[in-house]
Protein backbone atom coordinates (compact mmCIF):
# COMPACT_ATOMS: atom_id res chain seq x y z
CA UNK A 1 0.00 0.00 0.00
CA UNK A 2 0.98 3.63 -0.41
CA UNK A 3 1.78 5.48 2.81
CA UNK A 4 3.15 8.91 3.68
CA UNK A 5 5.74 8.30 6.35
CA UNK A 6 6.87 11.00 8.78
CA UNK A 7 10.53 10.35 9.54
CA UNK A 8 11.35 13.52 11.49
CA UNK A 9 10.73 17.28 11.43
CA UNK A 10 10.27 18.56 7.89
CA UNK A 11 10.38 15.09 6.36
CA UNK A 12 7.45 13.14 4.93
CA UNK A 13 8.22 10.51 2.31
CA UNK A 14 5.80 8.60 0.17
CA UNK A 15 6.62 4.91 0.32
CA UNK A 16 5.27 1.42 -0.19
CA UNK A 17 4.47 -0.56 2.95
CA UNK A 18 2.93 -4.00 3.37
CA UNK A 19 -0.81 -3.88 4.17
CA UNK A 20 -0.93 -4.59 7.92
CA UNK A 21 -2.53 -7.79 9.19
CA UNK A 22 -5.26 -7.27 11.80
CA UNK A 23 -4.31 -9.06 15.00
CA UNK A 24 -6.73 -10.15 17.74
CA UNK A 25 -9.23 -7.37 18.45
CA UNK A 26 -8.06 -5.30 15.49
CA UNK A 27 -9.69 -4.24 12.25
CA UNK A 28 -8.08 -3.32 8.97
CA UNK A 29 -9.71 -0.20 7.52
CA UNK A 30 -9.51 0.71 3.83
CA UNK A 31 -9.26 4.47 4.18
CA UNK A 32 -11.58 6.69 2.21
CA UNK A 33 -10.19 9.90 3.67
CA UNK A 34 -8.09 11.46 6.39
CA UNK A 35 -8.25 15.08 7.50
CA UNK A 36 -5.16 17.27 7.73
CA UNK A 37 -5.20 18.76 11.23
CA UNK A 38 -3.29 21.70 12.69
CA UNK A 39 -1.53 19.25 14.99
CA UNK A 40 -0.20 17.35 11.95
CA UNK A 41 1.29 20.63 10.74
CA UNK A 42 2.86 21.29 14.18
CA UNK A 43 4.29 17.75 14.23
CA UNK A 44 5.69 18.20 10.71
CA UNK A 45 7.50 21.35 11.83
CA UNK A 46 8.81 19.73 15.00
CA UNK A 47 6.78 22.04 17.28
CA UNK A 48 4.97 19.07 18.76
CA UNK A 49 6.99 16.02 19.76
CA UNK A 50 5.22 14.57 22.81
CA UNK A 51 3.97 11.06 22.11
CA UNK A 52 5.22 11.10 18.51
CA UNK A 53 7.42 8.18 17.53
CA UNK A 54 8.84 8.50 13.99
CA UNK A 55 9.01 6.78 11.60
CA UNK A 56 5.22 6.83 11.75
CA UNK A 57 2.27 7.48 9.45
CA UNK A 58 0.54 10.63 10.76
CA UNK A 59 -3.19 11.40 10.42
CA UNK A 60 -5.83 10.91 13.10
CA UNK A 61 -9.05 12.17 11.44
CA UNK A 62 -9.79 8.86 9.78
CA UNK A 63 -12.75 7.53 7.80
CA UNK A 64 -12.99 4.32 5.80
CA UNK A 65 -14.56 0.92 5.23
CA UNK A 66 -13.75 -2.18 7.26
CA UNK A 67 -11.71 -4.43 4.98
CA UNK A 68 -10.87 -7.31 7.33
CA UNK A 69 -11.21 -8.09 11.03
CA UNK A 70 -8.90 -9.99 13.36
CA UNK A 71 -9.90 -12.78 15.77
CA UNK A 72 -12.47 -11.89 18.41
CA UNK A 73 -13.91 -8.81 16.68
CA UNK A 74 -17.71 -8.76 16.77
CA UNK A 75 -18.68 -5.06 16.87
CA UNK A 76 -17.94 -4.32 13.19
CA UNK A 77 -18.20 -6.28 9.99
CA UNK A 78 -16.45 -6.22 6.64
CA UNK A 79 -17.87 -3.36 4.57
CA UNK A 80 -19.00 -1.19 7.52
CA UNK A 81 -18.52 2.54 7.02
CA UNK A 82 -16.53 3.73 10.05
CA UNK A 83 -14.77 6.62 11.72
CA UNK A 84 -11.86 6.09 14.10
CA UNK A 85 -11.44 7.31 17.66
CA UNK A 86 -7.67 7.78 17.51
CA UNK A 87 -7.07 8.13 21.24
CA UNK A 88 -5.90 4.84 22.70
CA UNK A 89 -5.70 5.61 26.40
CA UNK A 90 -3.58 3.37 28.62
CA UNK A 91 -6.46 2.42 30.92
CA UNK A 92 -4.10 2.29 33.88
CA UNK A 93 -3.11 5.84 34.85
CA UNK A 94 -4.84 7.99 37.44
CA UNK A 95 -6.75 9.99 34.81
CA UNK A 96 -7.93 6.89 32.95
CA UNK A 97 -9.14 5.42 36.24
CA UNK A 98 -10.97 8.65 36.99
CA UNK A 99 -12.84 8.48 33.67
CA UNK A 100 -10.74 11.09 31.90
CA UNK A 101 -9.07 9.16 29.05
CA UNK A 102 -8.56 12.46 27.18
CA UNK A 103 -5.99 13.38 29.86
CA UNK A 104 -4.29 9.94 29.81
CA UNK A 105 -0.63 10.16 30.83
CA UNK A 106 0.54 7.38 28.47
CA UNK A 107 -1.66 7.28 25.37
CA UNK A 108 -0.65 5.47 22.17
CA UNK A 109 -2.64 7.64 19.80
CA UNK A 110 -3.31 6.53 16.22
CA UNK A 111 -1.45 8.88 13.90
CA UNK A 112 1.03 9.88 16.63
CA UNK A 113 2.53 6.79 18.24
CA UNK A 114 1.11 4.15 15.89
CA UNK A 115 0.47 4.37 12.14
CA UNK A 116 -2.48 6.57 11.24
CA UNK A 117 -4.50 7.71 8.28
CA UNK A 118 -2.16 9.15 5.65
CA UNK A 119 -2.04 5.76 3.92
CA UNK A 120 -4.34 3.46 1.98
CA UNK A 121 -5.02 1.19 4.96
CA UNK A 122 -4.77 1.44 8.74
CA UNK A 123 -5.00 -1.23 11.39
CA UNK A 124 -6.75 -0.07 14.56
CA UNK A 125 -8.39 -1.60 17.66
CA UNK A 126 -11.97 -2.47 16.65
CA UNK A 127 -13.15 -1.00 19.96
CA UNK A 128 -12.09 2.40 18.55
CA UNK A 129 -14.34 2.23 15.49
CA UNK A 130 -17.66 4.06 15.25
CA UNK A 131 -20.11 2.87 12.62
CA UNK A 132 -21.61 5.42 10.23
CA UNK A 133 -24.58 5.04 7.91
CA UNK A 134 -23.39 3.97 4.44
CA UNK A 135 -24.74 7.29 3.13
CA UNK A 136 -22.22 9.38 5.14
CA UNK A 137 -19.42 10.36 2.75
CA UNK A 138 -15.73 10.57 3.73
CA UNK A 139 -16.06 14.34 4.27
CA UNK A 140 -18.52 13.61 7.09
CA UNK A 141 -16.54 10.68 8.50
CA UNK A 142 -13.28 12.60 8.85
CA UNK A 143 -15.00 15.27 10.97
CA UNK A 144 -16.35 12.82 13.58
CA UNK A 145 -13.29 13.13 15.81
CA UNK A 146 -12.97 16.92 15.59
CA UNK A 147 -16.68 17.43 16.17
CA UNK A 148 -16.43 15.11 19.19
CA UNK A 149 -13.73 17.44 20.58
CA UNK A 150 -16.05 20.41 20.08
CA UNK A 151 -18.97 18.56 21.68
CA UNK A 152 -16.89 17.89 24.77
CA UNK A 153 -16.07 21.61 24.85
CA UNK A 154 -19.75 22.46 24.42
CA UNK A 155 -20.63 20.20 27.37
CA UNK A 156 -17.97 21.84 29.52
CA UNK A 157 -19.04 25.32 28.46
CA UNK A 158 -22.55 24.63 29.79
CA UNK A 159 -24.13 27.08 27.35
CA UNK A 160 -27.50 28.37 28.59
CA UNK A 161 -30.29 29.42 26.22
CA UNK A 162 -30.83 33.15 26.05
CA UNK A 163 -27.16 34.01 26.44
CA UNK A 164 -24.64 35.56 24.06
CA UNK A 165 -21.56 33.87 22.63
CA UNK A 166 -18.43 34.70 20.70
CA UNK A 167 -16.02 32.42 18.83
CA UNK A 168 -12.45 33.49 18.11
CA UNK A 169 -11.32 32.02 14.79
CA UNK A 170 -13.20 30.38 11.92
CA UNK A 171 -11.03 27.46 10.90
CA UNK A 172 -12.47 23.93 11.05
CA UNK A 173 -12.85 24.00 14.82
CA UNK A 174 -14.29 27.53 14.87
CA UNK A 175 -16.81 26.60 12.17
CA UNK A 176 -17.87 23.46 14.06
CA UNK A 177 -18.39 25.61 17.17
CA UNK A 178 -20.39 27.91 14.89
CA UNK A 179 -22.62 24.99 13.89
CA UNK A 180 -23.35 24.12 17.56
CA UNK A 181 -23.73 27.62 19.01
CA UNK A 182 -25.50 28.81 15.86
CA UNK A 183 -28.21 26.20 16.49
CA UNK A 184 -28.49 27.08 20.19
CA UNK A 185 -31.10 29.65 21.24
CA UNK A 186 -28.76 32.57 21.78
CA UNK A 187 -29.22 36.31 21.81
CA UNK A 188 -26.07 36.99 19.79
CA UNK A 189 -23.31 34.92 18.16
CA UNK A 190 -20.21 36.87 17.14
CA UNK A 191 -17.30 35.27 15.30
CA UNK A 192 -13.95 36.98 14.78
CA UNK A 193 -11.63 35.84 12.00
CA UNK A 194 -8.92 37.67 10.05
CA UNK A 195 -9.46 35.85 6.71
CA UNK A 196 -12.32 37.21 4.55
CA UNK A 197 -13.18 33.83 2.95
CA UNK A 198 -13.60 32.26 6.38
CA UNK A 199 -15.58 35.22 7.73
CA UNK A 200 -18.01 34.84 4.84
CA UNK A 201 -18.41 31.13 5.63
CA UNK A 202 -18.92 31.89 9.34
CA UNK A 203 -21.69 34.37 8.49
CA UNK A 204 -23.40 31.98 6.09
CA UNK A 205 -23.22 29.03 8.47
CA UNK A 206 -24.57 30.59 11.66
CA UNK A 207 -22.79 33.64 13.13
CA UNK A 208 -24.99 36.73 13.55
CA UNK A 209 -22.04 39.11 13.30
CA UNK A 210 -18.54 38.55 11.96
CA UNK A 211 -15.62 40.77 12.95
CA UNK A 212 -12.28 41.22 11.21
CA UNK A 213 -9.66 41.54 13.98
CA UNK A 214 -7.17 42.66 11.34
CA UNK A 215 -9.21 45.68 10.27
CA UNK A 216 -11.55 46.43 13.16
CA UNK A 217 -11.16 47.27 16.84
CA UNK A 218 -12.63 44.07 18.29
CA UNK A 219 -13.19 45.46 21.80
CA UNK A 220 -14.95 48.58 20.49
CA UNK A 221 -17.15 46.59 18.12
CA UNK A 222 -18.13 44.07 20.83
CA UNK A 223 -18.76 47.02 23.15
CA UNK A 224 -21.29 48.41 20.67
CA UNK A 225 -23.01 45.07 20.15
CA UNK A 226 -23.01 43.94 23.79
CA UNK A 227 -22.17 46.79 26.20
CA UNK A 228 -22.14 44.42 29.22
CA UNK A 229 -19.90 41.88 27.52
CA UNK A 230 -20.40 38.36 26.20
CA UNK A 231 -21.63 35.43 28.31
CA UNK A 232 -19.52 32.74 26.65
CA UNK A 233 -16.33 33.29 24.66
CA UNK A 234 -14.55 30.32 23.07
CA UNK A 235 -11.07 30.58 21.64
CA UNK A 236 -10.80 28.42 18.53
CA UNK A 237 -7.78 30.28 17.17
CA UNK A 238 -4.88 29.23 19.39
CA UNK A 239 -3.62 32.78 18.95
CA UNK A 240 -2.37 34.15 22.31
CA UNK A 241 -2.96 37.78 21.25
CA UNK A 242 -6.59 37.00 20.39
CA UNK A 243 -7.04 35.40 23.83
CA UNK A 244 -5.49 38.33 25.67
CA UNK A 245 -7.71 40.77 23.79
CA UNK A 246 -10.92 38.79 24.34
CA UNK A 247 -10.73 37.74 28.01
CA UNK A 248 -11.73 41.26 29.21
CA UNK A 249 -14.82 41.05 26.95
CA UNK A 250 -16.41 38.31 29.08
CA UNK A 251 -19.58 39.45 30.82
CA UNK A 252 -19.94 39.37 34.60
CA UNK A 253 -20.25 35.74 35.70
CA UNK A 254 -19.41 34.70 32.14
CA UNK A 255 -17.06 32.01 30.86
CA UNK A 256 -13.97 32.09 28.69
CA UNK A 257 -12.90 28.76 27.21
CA UNK A 258 -9.39 27.91 26.03
CA UNK A 259 -10.06 25.43 23.23
CA UNK A 260 -7.55 26.23 20.46
CA UNK A 261 -4.00 25.04 21.07
CA UNK A 262 -1.62 27.93 21.73
CA UNK A 263 2.14 27.54 21.19
CA UNK A 264 3.80 25.80 24.11
CA UNK A 265 5.87 28.80 25.21
CA UNK A 266 3.08 31.38 24.83
CA UNK A 267 2.30 33.67 27.78
CA UNK A 268 -0.44 36.26 28.11
CA UNK A 269 -1.21 38.73 30.84
CA UNK A 270 -4.63 38.90 32.49
CA UNK A 271 -6.14 41.19 35.08
CA UNK A 272 -7.00 38.94 38.04
CA UNK A 273 -8.74 41.80 39.87
CA UNK A 274 -11.27 42.30 37.08
CA UNK A 275 -11.81 38.55 36.73
CA UNK A 276 -12.42 38.37 40.48
CA UNK A 277 -14.83 41.30 40.46
CA UNK A 278 -16.75 39.77 37.57
CA UNK A 279 -16.61 36.28 39.10
CA UNK A 280 -15.71 35.12 35.61
CA UNK A 281 -14.56 31.61 34.75
CA UNK A 282 -11.60 30.67 32.57
CA UNK A 283 -11.80 27.01 31.64
CA UNK A 284 -10.27 24.66 29.07
CA UNK A 285 -11.35 21.65 27.05
CA UNK A 286 -9.05 19.00 25.62
CA UNK A 287 -10.04 16.23 23.22
CA UNK A 288 -13.15 14.10 23.42
CA UNK A 289 -13.99 11.54 26.03
CA UNK A 290 -17.33 9.86 25.41
CA UNK A 291 -18.68 12.24 22.76
CA UNK A 292 -17.92 10.37 19.53
CA UNK A 293 -21.32 8.63 19.52
CA UNK A 294 -23.16 11.96 19.65
CA UNK A 295 -20.84 13.35 17.01
CA UNK A 296 -21.87 10.49 14.69
CA UNK A 297 -25.55 11.19 15.47
CA UNK A 298 -25.22 14.87 14.51
CA UNK A 299 -23.37 14.09 11.30
CA UNK A 300 -25.82 11.33 10.31
CA UNK A 301 -28.74 13.65 11.03
CA UNK A 302 -27.34 16.18 8.55
CA UNK A 303 -26.95 18.86 11.23
CA UNK A 304 -23.32 19.60 10.41
CA UNK A 305 -22.54 21.16 7.05
CA UNK A 306 -19.39 19.11 6.38
CA UNK A 307 -19.58 19.75 2.63
CA UNK A 308 -18.75 23.42 3.23
CA UNK A 309 -16.17 22.89 5.96
CA UNK A 310 -14.15 20.25 4.08
CA UNK A 311 -13.18 22.51 1.21
CA UNK A 312 -10.35 20.57 -0.40
CA UNK A 313 -9.41 17.03 -1.38
CA UNK A 314 -5.79 16.19 -2.15
CA UNK A 315 -3.83 13.06 -3.03
CA UNK A 316 -1.38 11.35 -0.69
CA UNK A 317 1.45 12.68 -2.86
CA UNK A 318 0.29 16.21 -2.06
CA UNK A 319 0.55 15.83 1.72
CA UNK A 320 3.80 17.83 2.09
CA UNK A 321 2.21 20.49 -0.14
CA UNK A 322 -0.95 20.42 2.01
CA UNK A 323 1.15 21.36 5.03
CA UNK A 324 2.28 24.51 3.19
CA UNK A 325 -1.23 25.28 1.94
CA UNK A 326 -2.54 24.87 5.48
CA UNK A 327 -0.52 27.88 6.56
CA UNK A 328 -0.37 30.02 3.43
CA UNK A 329 -3.71 29.50 1.71
CA UNK A 330 -6.19 30.14 4.50
CA UNK A 331 -8.10 32.31 2.05
CA UNK A 332 -8.94 29.25 -0.09
CA UNK A 333 -8.99 26.20 2.17
CA UNK A 334 -10.53 25.26 5.50
CA UNK A 335 -10.38 21.51 6.15
CA UNK A 336 -8.19 19.60 3.72
CA UNK A 337 -8.79 15.89 3.23
CA UNK A 338 -6.32 13.40 1.83
CA UNK A 339 -7.87 10.79 -0.47
CA UNK A 340 -5.24 8.03 -0.63
CA UNK A 341 -6.73 6.49 -3.77
CA UNK A 342 -6.61 9.68 -5.82
ZN1 LIG B 1 -7.25 16.75 14.56
ZN1 LIG C 1 -4.09 6.50 30.94
Amino acid sequence: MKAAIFTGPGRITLDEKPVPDPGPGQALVRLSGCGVCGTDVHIFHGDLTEGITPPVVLGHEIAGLVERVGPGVDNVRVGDNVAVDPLIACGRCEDCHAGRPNLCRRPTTVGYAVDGGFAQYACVPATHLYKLKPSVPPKGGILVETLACVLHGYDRLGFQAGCSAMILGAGTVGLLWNQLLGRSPRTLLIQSEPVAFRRKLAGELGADVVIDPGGEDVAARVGELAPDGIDYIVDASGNPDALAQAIPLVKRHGTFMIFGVCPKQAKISINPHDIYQAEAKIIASKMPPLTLGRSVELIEAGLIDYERIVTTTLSLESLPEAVGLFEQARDRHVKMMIDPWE
Side-chain angles (χ1 to χ4, degrees):
M1 67 167 184
K2 283 197 285 181
I5 302 161
F6 171 72
T7 52
R11 294 196 309 271
I12 289 177
T13 48
L14 196 75
D15 219 338
E16 282 289 329
K17 276 187 90 152
V19 175
D21 236 346
Q26 290 187 322
L28 178 69
V29 180
R30 182 188 196 274
L31 299 188
S32 48
C34 184
V36 181
C37 179
T39 53
D40 297 320
V41 176
H42 289 308
I43 294 167
F44 179 76
H45 289 310
D47 301 333
L48 197 72
T49 52
E50 275 164 53
I52 320 292
T53 50
V56 69
V57 175
L58 302 179
H60 56 271
E61 301 174 356
I62 303 168
L65 300 175
V66 175
E67 173 88 5
R68 243 173 336 127
V69 295
V73 172
D74 58 7
N75 62 318
V76 289
R77 284 198 278 185
V78 171
D80 279 347
N81 190 18
V82 291
V84 174
D85 174 5
L87 174 67
I88 304 176
C90 77
R92 296 185 294 276
C93 73
E94 203 180 305
D95 285 300
C96 281
H97 282 172
R100 299 184 295 259
N102 55 322
L103 303 184
C104 175
R105 318 285 174 94
R106 288 179 296 274
T108 46
T109 307
V110 176
Y112 290 67
V114 295
D115 284 348
F118 295 138
Q120 292 179 317
Y121 295 90
C123 207
V124 294
T127 47
H128 284 57
L129 293 180
Y130 283 77
K131 276 190 258 188
L132 298 162
K133 283 182 186 161
S135 57
V136 176
K139 285 181 178 182
I142 64 156
L143 284 184
V144 167
E145 192 261 346
T146 317
L147 179 61
C149 293
V150 176
L151 277 170
H152 176 57
Y154 187 85
D155 292 349
R156 280 180 65 73
L157 192 66
F159 181 81
Q160 292 186 322
C163 287
S164 56
M166 179 171 176
I167 304 161
L168 312 179
T172 302
V173 163
L175 292 172
L176 289 173
W177 270 103
N178 168 310
Q179 300 265 280
L180 294 186
L181 290 169
R183 291 175 184 281
S184 306
R186 80 287 177 183
T187 54
L188 177 66
L189 174 59
I190 302 174
Q191 193 150 14
S192 66
E193 162 62 47
V195 178
F197 161 68
R198 294 177 174 207
R199 272 200 307 282
K200 185 165 177 283
L201 208 47
E204 287 166 4
L205 286 175
D208 303 312
V209 178
V210 288
I211 300 181
D212 172 13
E216 294 174 83
D217 180 337
V218 175
R221 187 79 198 284
V222 171
E224 284 163 22
L225 294 160
D228 295 332
I230 305 290
D231 291 297
Y232 298 95
I233 302 182
V234 177
D235 176 61
S237 74
N239 176 344
D241 295 336
L243 265 82
Q245 190 179 43
I247 289 172
L249 305 178
V250 172
K251 193 173 174 175
R252 291 167 76 78
H253 209 257
T255 304
F256 186 94
M257 173 171 278
I258 298 172
F259 190 90
V261 186
C262 284
K264 203 170 177 176
Q265 314 301 339
K267 299 264 193 297
I268 59 170
S269 72
I270 56 170
N271 183 323
H273 178 85
D274 289 352
I275 291 168
Y276 168 80
Q277 290 293 354
E279 207 184 42
K281 291 184 280 296
I282 298 180
I283 60 172
S285 176
K286 186 195 171 196
M287 297 171 72
L290 315 171
T291 48
L292 276 99
R294 281 190 287 142
S295 174
V296 168
E297 296 284 347
L298 283 170
I299 286 173
E300 286 186 339
L303 291 168
I304 300 298
D305 197 343
Y306 46 77
E307 292 289 347
R308 304 199 61 196
I309 296 175
V310 183
T311 51
T312 314
T313 304
L314 295 164
S315 67
L316 209 47
E317 286 81 358
S318 313
L319 182 61
E321 183 193 330
V323 172
L325 290 175
F326 192 94
E327 294 158 308
Q328 290 141 29
R330 291 172 190 270
D331 54 343
R332 274 173 283 145
H333 309 280
V334 184
K335 174 58 75 186
M336 288 185 267
M337 181 178 86
I338 299 295
D339 175 353
W341 304 94
E342 208 174 70

